[in-house]
Amino acid sequence: MSSNPIRVGFIGAGSICRIKHLPGLAAIDGVDVVAVANRSRASAEAVAADFGIPDVEETWQALLARDDIDAVFIGTWPYRHREYSIATLRAGKHCFCQARMAMDLDEAKEMLAVARENPHLVNMLSPARPDYEHYIAGLVRDGELGEITSVELLAISDGNLDRDSLHWRERRELSGNQIMAMGIYAEMLNGVVGPYESLSAHLSTPIGEKVDEAGEKVAIEVPQVVTISGRLQSGALALEHHTGLNADSTSSTSTLTIRGLNGTLRYDLADRLEIGPAGQPLAPVEVPPEHVGTWDAETDFVGAVQAARDGAPPEERKVRPDFEEGLLYMRKVEAVHRSAATGQAVQPDQL
C-alpha cells in the first residue's frame, strides 16, 4: 500500500458496489476504502465486515465531513444522486456516481454546474458500455460501412412483465425519468453514431399497477414500451423500440443495426457482431482482443484522481463518462418525455 494512499468512502454501498466497485478498488495498489454510510447501520456494518472497511458512519453527512477521505463512491438509486454528488464536490472530494446520472435533466444540469465550479476535482459516472462499442465506433468513424443512412435499435425483454414483482426502477419516485435501459443505450448510441438532432417518441404503460413487497398495489408511472424515431446529427435516420413486456420465450433481443451505403453491421449485445459488405450476406466478425472493452471503471477513476493530485489539468485526466457526457443522454431522456407529452418533435441539444 502506498504511503500516501487515495482514501475512499462509500455512500450507499449496494449490490453494484459489492459486485464491481469494492472488488475493483481492492485490486488497485494505493487505495484505502476507509468508511461506509448506508441507509441502515446494519447494512453498512455488513458491507464493512465483508470488505474490511474500518469505519461505519451513521450518516452520509458525517462521512463527507471526514478529513481522511479523498474520493466518494455514490451507489444509491438516482433519487439521491444530485444531492450526494453536489455535496461530495462541495466538500472538496472527487466524485464517482452510480448510473443513471439523475432523476431528470434539471438535476443533471445542477450536478454539471457544480462539477464545472470545481475543475480540480474528478467527476465520473459508472459506465455502461458494451464490449464492442469502441471497435464499432472506429468502423463507423473510418468509413468502413460508407455513409451511414439508418440506425435501428431493438431492446426487447420480459423485465417488466411480472405483475407480482416490483423493481425499484419501475418506481418513478426512485428512478425519475429513467426508462428501462434506455439511458444505457442512449450512452452507447452517442458513442457509436452520435446524438439525435431531433426525435419523436411515444410511451406506453399497459400494466398500470403492480404489487409491492408488502402486498400493496402500487401505480406504475415508468413506461414499459417506448418507440423513438428521428434524425441523428450525422444526418442518418434512427428508429428505436424498447419494451419490457415481451411475453414469448424466443424473441427477446438487444440488437443494434447500422446501415451504410457500403455495408451493414449488426451487433447482438450478447457479444455477436456481424458485418455484410455491399451485396454480401452478414457474417460473424472476430473482434481482436485488444479492441474488446473491459471493465476498468475503478482503475480509470483512481488514475484520474492520482493525476489530479499530481496537478494534471482536466483535459489530461479525462474519464468516461463524466458529468459532461452524462448530460448528453439526460438530454435525450428529457426529449423523449417532452415529445411523448406534446406530440411534437424535440431537439435534445436545445434543452
Side-chain angles (χ1 to χ4, degrees):
M1 185 61 65
S2 169
S3 60
N4 186 25
I6 293 171
R7 300 157 301 180
V8 176
F10 271 77
I11 300 175
S15 60
I16 186 64
C17 297
R18 284 177 167 273
I19 295 169
K20 291 286 191 181
H21 305 321
L22 284 162
L25 291 172
I28 304 172
D29 186 45
V31 175
D32 266 337
V33 179
V34 300
V36 58
N38 275 10
R39 283 188 297 171
S40 73
R41 184 174 184 88
S43 66
E45 288 177 344
V47 173
D50 289 344
F51 291 93
I53 303 172
D55 293 337
V56 170
E57 293 291 351
E58 294 286 348
T59 66
W60 62 270
Q61 293 95 333
L63 186 141
L64 291 183
R66 292 177 63 131
D67 294 330
D68 63 343
I69 289 180
D70 306 302
V72 173
F73 274 66
I74 298 165
T76 65
W77 300 328
Y79 78 123
R80 288 287 186 262
H81 288 180
R82 181 198 64 82
E83 180 181 15
Y84 294 168
S85 294
I86 288 175
T88 294
L89 294 169
R90 286 180 173 163
K93 305 181 192 304
H94 305 282
C95 180
F96 184 104
C97 182
Q98 184 55 40
R100 306 267 35 98
M101 184 174 181
M103 296 280 278
D104 56 38
L105 181 60
D106 287 342
E107 288 194 355
K109 286 181 175 180
E110 288 184 65
M111 291 166 64
L112 179 56
V114 175
R116 287 173 173 171
E117 292 168 4
N118 294 276
H120 60 294
L121 297 174
V122 176
N123 65 84
M124 184 175 178
L125 296 165
S126 186
R129 301 189 179 283
D131 291 345
Y132 298 163
E133 178 186 320
H134 179 73
Y135 182 72
I136 295 171
L139 294 177
V140 172
R141 182 181 61 250
D142 295 341
E144 294 294 326
L145 302 176
E147 179 185 349
I148 304 303
T149 59
S150 65
V151 176
E152 301 151 21
L153 174 65
L154 295 177
I156 299 173
S157 77
D158 62 355
N160 302 103
L161 195 59
D162 188 348
R163 298 171 191 245
D164 297 320
S165 175
L166 178 62
H167 195 278
W168 68 263
R169 293 187 186 277
E170 297 179 273
R171 300 181 61 175
R172 193 179 183 93
E173 71 272 21
L174 300 178
S175 59
N177 283 346
Q178 308 299 336
I179 305 172
M180 296 179 285
M182 191 182 74
I184 293 174
Y185 291 126
E187 189 176 324
M188 176 191 70
L189 289 174
N190 286 340
V192 172
V193 293
Y196 279 87
E197 176 186 278
S198 176
L199 65 79
S200 298
H202 294 276
L203 309 177
S204 175
T205 313
I207 298 178
E209 63 180 23
K210 290 191 174 186
V211 178
D212 65 13
E213 294 180 353
E216 299 292 331
K217 290 185 178 180
V218 176
I220 304 298
E221 298 178 353
V222 176
Q224 297 152 345
V225 184
V226 181
T227 60
I228 306 167
S229 62
R231 182 184 300 276
L232 302 179
Q233 291 182 3
S234 67
L237 299 186
L239 177 65
E240 300 180 43
H241 183 64
H242 304 258
T243 178
L245 300 180
N246 192 39
D248 69 85
S249 62
T250 59
S251 65
S252 289
T253 186
S254 295
T255 307
L256 170 67
T257 304
I258 302 174
R259 303 184 189 277
L261 291 178
N262 296 340
T264 301
L265 177 151
R266 184 165 64 196
Y267 178 29
D268 178 337
L269 274 73
D271 294 335
R272 179 180 175 85
L273 179 64
E274 299 173 304
I275 295 178
Q280 299 183 33
L282 289 169
V285 173
E286 192 71 31
V287 178
E290 64 270 22
H291 291 295
V292 178
T294 57
W295 179 268
D296 295 316
E298 298 80 24
T299 302
D300 291 347
F301 179 70
V302 169
V305 170
Q306 184 61 58
R309 177 182 279 184
D310 294 340
E315 62 271 17
E316 295 180 11
R317 47 179 171 81
K318 290 290 289 180
V319 292
R320 292 193 64 199
D322 59 10
F323 288 5
E324 294 275 0
E325 188 173 353
L327 190 70
L328 287 178
Y329 72 68
M330 290 302 300
R331 288 188 192 279
K332 177 183 175 180
V333 171
E334 182 72 18
V336 165
H337 281 278
R338 291 198 188 187
S339 176
T342 63
Q344 299 178 345
V346 176
Q347 295 177 280
D349 67 356
Q350 298 301 307
L351 299 178

